[in-house]
Amino acid sequence: MHCPFCRHPDSRVIDTRTSDDGFTIRRRRECLECKRRFSTTETASLTVIKRSGASEPFSREKIMSGVGKACQGRPVTEDQLAVLAQQVEETVRQNGVSQIEAHDIGLAILEPLRELDQIAYLRFASVYSSFDTLEDFERAIGELRQESASK
């Protein structure tokens, strides 16, 4: 880690703390040359492999945007979308892999979205579960009705 003040290539860690979400580490460092202190943050990288084969960094904002489209006109708040995106990230990171297929992220969204809003779930599931016929929709609606009746 280069010092941001004198560009010396070496520093020592004075303090290390984990953020509230548990995925970010904040380190307080001191330059061994100029003795000035600075902070760094570290996160474990998670790469998403898209259908085209291209890769990009994981983004909670992208999840919120995609799920937000399914939630248009529904009583779902930005805060609820942020919590859902955090749940999905936690689920994906529990797999312990550094690369994940975009389709797998879509599948990880389904269960928390189902609990958040059933209509938004159907909208989103119609894409990620590859609903091809009306029977696919009817089956999904039937499952939601059974689930609601058993509660």
Side-chain angles (χ1 to χ4, degrees):
M1 170 58 57
H2 290 275
C3 172
F5 306 108
C6 72
R7 305 298 299 155
H8 186 71
D10 209 5
S11 63
R12 72 181 181 100
V13 176
I14 297 170
D15 183 40
T16 300
R17 295 183 186 194
T18 305
S19 68
D20 293 335
D21 66 3
F23 295 113
T24 305
I25 296 173
R26 181 183 170 274
R27 297 194 194 278
R28 192 75 180 138
R29 297 176 175 270
E30 180 179 63
C31 175
L32 297 177
E33 183 70 23
C34 70
K35 304 293 185 214
R36 292 179 76 180
R37 293 182 176 188
F38 57 99
S39 295
T40 60
T41 56
E42 300 174 17
T43 58
S45 64
L46 180 60
T47 304
V48 178
I49 308 298
K50 301 177 81 159
R51 287 182 204 151
S52 66
S55 62
E56 65 181 40
F58 178 85
S59 167
R60 281 188 193 178
E61 290 76 26
K62 215 163 175 189
I63 289 176
M64 290 176 61
S65 171
V67 174
K69 290 173 187 168
C71 293
Q72 262 184 322
R74 303 296 305 156
V76 177
T77 66
E78 286 291 319
D79 288 342
Q80 289 172 313
L81 288 177
V83 168
L84 182 138
Q86 181 177 350
Q87 289 173 336
V88 169
E89 182 175 3
E90 289 170 1
T91 299
V92 167
R93 286 189 185 274
Q94 285 177 355
N95 292 335
V97 296
S98 63
Q99 294 184 340
I100 187 161
E101 299 283 332
H103 185 74
D104 293 336
I105 294 174
L107 295 176
I109 290 170
L110 290 175
E111 191 55 39
L113 183 56
R114 181 183 203 158
E115 293 183 18
L116 180 63
D117 187 276
Q118 292 180 341
I119 301 301
Y121 163 78
L122 283 173
R123 290 174 180 171
F124 196 85
S126 69
V127 174
Y128 275 91
S129 295
S130 301
F131 288 6
D132 293 323
T133 64
L134 290 175
E135 287 77 24
D136 293 335
F137 278 98
E138 289 172 347
R139 189 177 330 103
I141 291 169
E143 289 172 8
L144 290 173
R145 284 188 175 139
Q146 281 181 335
E147 185 180 292
S148 294
S150 65
K151 286 185 179 179

